[in-house]
């Protein structure tokens, strides 16, 4: 058997040797979770546990993905492993879709069901007199009025930016497929740059919301859904941008071949997913 | 109404030094009732149900009981049928009895049959259920409307409309702590008694509006076939029309924190005259004491307050 | 994929001792760890259950205080569901799926390790929460808002524990999906796959679809608790009931996550001991898929008492009832498989037969719960507690035992002790029913769940249930003895440990060597 690889190398399935990284990841999340819980409950040590957890997690991700990249570039993965990666990335993105679905569901439920209920029937006569239920709302006990975020300022610009970044990323992909590595790197660079601009604008928008619109996380159900949806989206843009940055470095280091570059594709899929989430956000959070 | 089936007072206080004796005694009592009488349903008519739903005193509860009986019988039939076949195989088609395995592994006709027949059975079950659901939901034209508010851990009642309008009071567990902790013998209505029960007239449609002040509670009177969650910040409604005078007892039926188990619902159903007398008495009391406001400031009115206060830490 | 690379080939140079288990990428090692972990969690959850039963042995407060009682109930539910039943099935998947489809390992061996090693941290957070100020969360395993928003720090720990277990489940599920879809041996078409693989494939899809939703739900609780959001606060325009919708959108598929693999195990065992092929293989696959699909459309049957509009109640009632049809198909198929077989009742078959019998009772009570008007009476009573222990203990847990006895020879190389196994079965069966059957009566007669003390007319059945629970708990010790004996020795198991067992797992030696199917088998 130990000679088998020579004869079957075209058809092998790579099974890695024992790895130390997972256990680091677990320790990281233990520190992360317990640290966050302590921190939230004002135990001073919590903060440090939390950051220590984050640090270990970063170490683990670098080490683990670094190893995967080395293995991949070392030619250890056949087409079958590649296929596994494709399936897994696809289903991972599906799980992310479901995560967002929970928050979109909350927004839908509030707008279509609970807010109208609160402003009608017995709820209106007995509990919340005078509540009209017009969206956007901070709820019937709206002690603190706010101005909602308009769609046609920064959000519209951000939509354009993200759509453009999707296009530049595809352009980079074409470059890779054609073997034009300059185009690949330039495309990636522009995409990451657009992502960074998007995030900066988003930060600016949040500051504007807090400073000028009195729109805050605690602005009732509107504030809750607005900030959690856009916030989680922003976190995903950040992750996607980091992935693309890594791809940019890898491209510069000469990684990827026209017929084998799943790492790049995975990052691209993720980016497009983030893009689509934004479009839905734009429509249901900002526009309608 | 619901009296214990045995005389608790004759036993020493808890914790019981004669644990084994208690166990044996109970085992004896339980064995006295053949378990299968559950299926026979003979005890559906007993006042204090042990095996089945409590004696219904509203039309809805009656329908629910009948529906439950029907379901039980149907399920029992299917159960006996399916497991009759299985146990036949278990006993007859044994290798030790020389059974040789057949080799069939599909049969389209049979498979279609056991898909279609259950669907038909389910339709038969769904029909009465649908009618009852629609009836339960019809809270229109009540004679009396009462708002019940769940608090941690008591109920507030507020007569909004009909005879008695304007009456409001709180209703909390009246079982003494000593009974709970075993310092005193437990009374007959242990944990199912309150200081001020809800009082309603017999034969009248009572609409109950439910809300809560802190967390979700649930207002439940089994004999009425009524259970409705009380949701903070929302009003939900339900209704009942009790056919018989009496005292009916239930519980809060949604986990609501520490004393969830100590938050009973007690309803006195009185004749029209007695009810009128009760209302008059309440009015006099109210005039004398300038009605204390039970539903003190509504904590749900302040966002975040309901969540931030009680129970933390 | 005929061979694996040298990295793992007879890799006896790998780490040893504890490091071996911390770093392993071997699906069998990981499967074993999953099972040991889940059994420890089962014992922990069981100890909590016994404390509950001790308190409920008599009316009055004797053993614990109400607030702590609620913590016990909550943690019992959480630990059993997320710590015991789910990981146990994942352990089975890890051990058996590669063996059944002729793969050398799981598709992502390192990630597989991480999926497992995320569980102990989650368990530490959960169990550790008992010891923080305010104690563990006491909001019920369903963590309904706003009660869960009131809780102390234990709730935050539970939330993070759920996040971590969610990550673990999602990674585990993706691994299983990819393994099944991409690692099958040549000739192993999907419709030739053992049913256990099919049920797990579908379960894995359910996991990927609903675990993120649960993560979202508890995240909203977290922000409502600490960051001033109002998802579940009417004053801010939210709705406490919205939490229930999101939770049960996860929660109902979750209960099928805990039963579909059980169906798979039973579908492996019955044909073996009936010496007859599984009846209606294809319809089993379709029934499993139908149950999974329907499970997304029934969630509000847990919420009939919240006061939905009639149309909502009716829709969820009808959809729920429909699930009886595919589940019935399964039951009928099993019975038809036994019919005119040549039956023997070794321990695994006893458990499997017992499973069908008692699980079906739980299914029927489920159906009775599904009738909205009846559910108004039984919602949040011991009737529901009885229902779900019939499907979870006599369903999921019994099937796990069935599977354990069935595959122990493959895992250890020794046959499990038949007499002890049978004793374990009969004790469990009898005590299970003594514990949980009376709960139907309690619930119908009006005893609410999640209460530390109750009215006097419920005393007899509660005492009985408590006695049964201790008996049931003690009976589980027999299992420990069986497993330990089986690991240490006993009758040597042949490769095909049971006379007419079918499937690739029975073509490798017992115990299965560390590496199997490095050269993929070819399935005719
Ligand atoms: C393994 C887990 C599992 C499984 C498989 C099921 C299966 C089912 N469950 Fe259960 N359920 C739970 C776990 C499970 N449940 C849990 C944990 C809770 C409580 C959660 C909590 O509140 O804490 C719960 C609660 C619960 C409720 C809410 C009760 C309440 O809180 O008021 C309802 C209501 O509809 C319900 C229904 C059903 C139905 C219809 C099925 C069906 O799938 C059953 C189908 C099977 C059969 C019907 C038997 C076999 C069929 C035949 C032999 C065919 C012929 C039959 C006929 C045509 C009648 N369940
Ligand atoms: C998922 C699976 C699962 C399993 C396997 C069990 C197993 C058991 N459950 Fe549990 N249960 C749930 C899931 C499960 N449960 C859920 C989801 C809830 C709802 C929670 C909620 O309301 O939020 C619940 C709620 C619940 C309640 C209701 C609590 C309440 O409403 O307040 C009760 C009460 O009797 C109970 C009892 C038991 C018992 C006696 C067992 C037994 O089967 C346990 C047997 C195991 C052991 C006992 C341990 C093994 C033995 C030893 C450690 C040796 C020592 C033993 C002795 C000395 C005797 N369970
Ligand atoms: Cu109020 Cu439970
Ligand atoms: Cu359900």
């Amino acid at each position: 058997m130990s000679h088998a690889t020579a004869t079957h190398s075209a058809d092998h399935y790579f099974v890695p040797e024992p790895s130390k990284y997972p256990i680091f990841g677990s320790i990281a999340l233990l520190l992360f979770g317990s640290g966050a819980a302590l921190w939230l409950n004002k135990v001073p040590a919590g903060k440090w546990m939390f950051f220590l957890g984050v640090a270990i997690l970063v170490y683990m991700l670098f080490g683990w993905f670094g190893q995967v990249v080395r293995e991949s570039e070392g030619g250890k993965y056949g087409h079958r492993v590649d296929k596994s990666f494709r399936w897994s990335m696809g289903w991972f993105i599906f799980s992310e879709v479901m995560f967002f679905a929970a928050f979109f569901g909350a927004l839908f439920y509030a707008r279509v069901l609970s807010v109208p209920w609160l402003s009608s029937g017995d709820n209106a006569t007995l509990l919340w007199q005078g509540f009209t239920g017009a969206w956007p709302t901070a709820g019937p006990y709206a002690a603190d009025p706010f101005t909602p975020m308009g769609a046609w300022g920064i959000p519209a610009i951000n939509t354009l930016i993200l759509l453009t970044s999707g296009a530049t990323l595809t352009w980079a992909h074409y470059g890779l497929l054609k073997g034009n590595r300059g185009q690949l790197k330039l495309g990636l660079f522009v995409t990451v740059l657009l992502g960074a601009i998007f995030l900066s604008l988003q930060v600016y928008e949040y500051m504007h919301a807090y400073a000028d619109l009195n729109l805050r996380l605690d602005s009732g159900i509107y504030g809750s859904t607005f900030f959690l949806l856009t916030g989680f989206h922003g976190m995903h843009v950040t992750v996607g941008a980091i992935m693309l940055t890594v791809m940019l470095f890898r491209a510069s280091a000469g990684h990827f071949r026209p017929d084998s570059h799943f790492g790049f594709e995975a990052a691209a899929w993720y980016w497009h997913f983030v893009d689509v989430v934004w479009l839905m956000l734009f429509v249901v959070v900002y526009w309608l | 109404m619901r009296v214990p089936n045995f005389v608790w007072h004759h036993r020493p206080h808890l914790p019981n030094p004669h644990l084994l004796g208690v166990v044996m005694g109970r085992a004896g009592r339980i064995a006295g009732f053949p378990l299968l009488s559950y299926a026979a349903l003979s005890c559906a008519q007993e006042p204090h149900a042990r095996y089945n739903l409590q004696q219904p005193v509203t039309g809805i509860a009656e329908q629910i009981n009948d529906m439950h009986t029907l379901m039980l019988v149907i399920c029992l039939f299917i159960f006996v049928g399916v497991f009759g076949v299985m146990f036949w195989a278990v006993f007859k088609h044994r290798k030790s009895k020389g059974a040789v395995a057949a080799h069939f592994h599909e049969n389209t006709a049979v498979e279609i049959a056991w898909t279609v027949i259950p669907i038909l059975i389910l339709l038969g079950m769904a029909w009465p259920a649908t009618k009852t659901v629609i009836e339960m939901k019809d809270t229109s034209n009540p004679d009396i409307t009462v708002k019940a508010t769940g608090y941690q851990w008591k109920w507030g009642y507020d007569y909004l409309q009909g005879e008695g309008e304007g009456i409001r009071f709180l209703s909390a567990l009246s079982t003494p702590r000593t009974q709970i902790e075993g310092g005193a013998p437990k009374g007959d209505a242990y944990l199912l008694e309150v200081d001020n029960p809800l009082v309603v007239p017999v034969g009248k449609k009572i609409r109950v509006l439910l809300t809560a002040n802190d967390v979700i509670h649930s207002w439940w009177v089994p004999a009425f076939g009524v259970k409705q969650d009380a949701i903070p910040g929302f009003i939900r409604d339900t209704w009942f029309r009790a056919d018989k005078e009496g005292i009916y007892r239930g519980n809060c039926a949604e986990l609501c924190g520490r004393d969830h188990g100590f938050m009973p619902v007690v309803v006195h159903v009185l004749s029209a005259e007695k009810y009128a007398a009760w209302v008059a008495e309440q009015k006099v009391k109210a005039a004398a004491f300038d009605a204390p406001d039970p539903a003190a400031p509504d904590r749900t009115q302040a966002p975040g307050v309901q969540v931030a206060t009680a129970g933390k830490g | 994929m005929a061979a694996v690379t040298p990295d793992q080939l007879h890799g006896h140079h790998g780490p040893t001792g504890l490091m071996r288990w911390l770093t392993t990428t071997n699906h069998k090692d990981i499967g074993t760890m999953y099972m040991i972990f889940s059994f420890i969690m089962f014992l922990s959850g069981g100890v909590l259950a016994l404390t509950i039963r001790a308190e409920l042995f008599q009316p009055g407060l004797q053993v614990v205080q109400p607030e702590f009682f609620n913590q016990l109930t909550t943690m019992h539910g959480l630990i059993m569901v997320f710590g015991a039943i789910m990981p146990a099935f994942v352990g089975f998947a890890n051990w058996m799926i590669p063996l059944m489809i002729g793969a050398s390992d799981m598709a992502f061996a390192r990630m597989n390790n991480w999926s497992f090693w995320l569980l102990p941290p989650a368990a530490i957070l959960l169990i550790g929460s008992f010891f923080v100020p305010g104690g563990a969360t006491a909001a019920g395993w369903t963590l309904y808002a706003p009660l869960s928003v009131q809780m102390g720090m234990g709730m935050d720990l539970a939330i993070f524990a759920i996040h971590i277990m969610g990550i673990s489940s999602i990674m585990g599920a993706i691994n299983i999906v990819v393994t099944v879809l991409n690692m099958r041996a040549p000739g192993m078409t999907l419709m030739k796959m053992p049913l256990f693989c099919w049920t797990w494939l579908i379960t894995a899809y359910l996991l990927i679809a609903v675990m993120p939703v649960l993560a979202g739900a508890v995240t909203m609780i977290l922000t409502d608790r600490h960051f001033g959001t109002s998802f579940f606060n009417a004053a801010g325009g939210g709705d406490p009931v919205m939490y229930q919708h999101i939770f049960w959108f996860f929660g109902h598929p979750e209960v099928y996550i805990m039963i579909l693999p059980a169906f798979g195990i039973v579908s492996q065992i019955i044909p073996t001991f009936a010496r007859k092929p599984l009846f209606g293989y294809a319809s089993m696959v379709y029934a499993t898929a139908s149950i999974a699909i329907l499970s997304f459309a029934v969630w509000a049957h847990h919420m009939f008492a919240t006061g939905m509009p009639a149309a909502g109640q009716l829709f969820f009632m009808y959809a729920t009832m429909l699930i009886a049809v595919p589940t019935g198909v399964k039951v009928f198929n099993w019975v038809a498989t036994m019919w005119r077989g040549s039956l023997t009742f070794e321990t695994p078959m006893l458990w499997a037969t017992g499973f069908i019998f008692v699980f079906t009772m739980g299914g029927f009570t489920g159906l009775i719960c599904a009738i909205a008007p009846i559910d108004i009476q039984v919602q949040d009573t011991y009737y529901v507690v009885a229902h779900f222990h019939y499907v979870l203990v006599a369903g999921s847990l019994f099937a796990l035992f069935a599977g354990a006895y069935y595959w122990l020879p493959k895992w250890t190389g020794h046959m499990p002790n038949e007499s002890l196994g049978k004793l374990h079965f009969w004790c469990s069966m009898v005590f299970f029913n003594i514990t949980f059957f009376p709960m139907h009566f309690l619930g119908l007669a009006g005893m609410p769940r999640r209460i530390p003390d109750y009215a006097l007319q419920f005393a007899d059945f509660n005492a009985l249930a408590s006695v049964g629970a201790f008996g049931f708990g003690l009976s589980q010790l027999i299992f420990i003895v069986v497993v330990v004996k089986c690991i240490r020795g006993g009758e040597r198991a042949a490769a095909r440990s049971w006379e007419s067992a079918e499937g690739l797992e029975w073509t490798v030696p017992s115990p299965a060597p560390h590496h199997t199917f490095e050269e993929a088998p070819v399935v005719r």
Side-chain angles (χ1 to χ4, degrees), chain C residues 221-246:
Chain C
I221 291 185
L222 189 77
T223 60
D224 267 18
R225 285 167 58 77
H226 294 292
F227 303 108
T229 57
S230 318
F231 287 104
F232 310 129
N233 182 353
D239 182 353
V241 176
M242 176 164 87
Y243 173 78
Q244 300 181 20
H245 281 287
I246 306 175

Side-chain angles (χ1 to χ4, degrees), chain C residues 180-340:
Chain C
V180 169
L181 292 183
N182 197 31
M183 306 272 291
R184 276 167 290 126
M188 176 63 81
T189 60
L190 282 177
M191 289 310 269
K192 270 189 196 156
M193 232 173 22
L195 215 74
F196 178 70
C197 303
W198 258 115
T199 54
W200 241 118
L201 177 65
I202 290 166
T203 304
Y205 284 134
L206 288 179
L207 278 167
I208 298 172
V210 300
M211 291 309 293
V213 176
L214 175 65
V218 296
T219 304
M220 289 182 222
I221 291 185
L222 189 77
T223 60
D224 267 18
R225 285 167 58 77
H226 294 292
F227 303 108
T229 57
S230 318
F231 287 104
F232 310 129
N233 182 353
D239 182 353
V241 176
M242 176 164 87
Y243 173 78
Q244 300 181 20
H245 281 287
I246 306 175
F247 178 86
W248 288 116
F249 182 84
F250 146 82
H252 189 84
E254 166 69 13
V255 306
Y256 293 124
I257 287 167
M258 292 188 283
I259 204 68
L260 294 183
F263 291 166
I265 292 176
V266 170
S267 304
Q268 299 301 127
I269 294 174
I270 302 273
T272 297
F273 297 96
R275 292 167 181 74
K276 206 168 139 264
L278 183 68
F279 188 90
Y281 173 90
S283 66
M284 284 298 219
V285 173
Y286 302 139
T288 312
S290 318
I291 293 174
I293 292 164
L294 280 173
S295 76
F296 287 105
V298 302
W299 74 86
H301 65 216
H302 297 273
M303 301 164 55
F304 285 141
T306 57
M308 270 179 279
Q313 290 206 345
L314 292 175
F315 170 80
F316 285 107
M317 174 172 88
Y318 299 148
T320 305
M321 293 174 77
L322 265 186
I323 297 193
V325 177
T327 316
V329 166
K330 287 184 164 280
V331 172
F332 300 139
N333 278 339
W334 290 321
V335 173
T337 306
M338 291 167 79
W339 187 250
R340 293 188 46 216

Side-chain angles (χ1 to χ4, degrees), chain A residues 27 31 51 59 220 230 241 288:
Chain A
I27 294 168
L31 286 167
F51 285 121
Y59 162 77
T230 56
L288 292 183

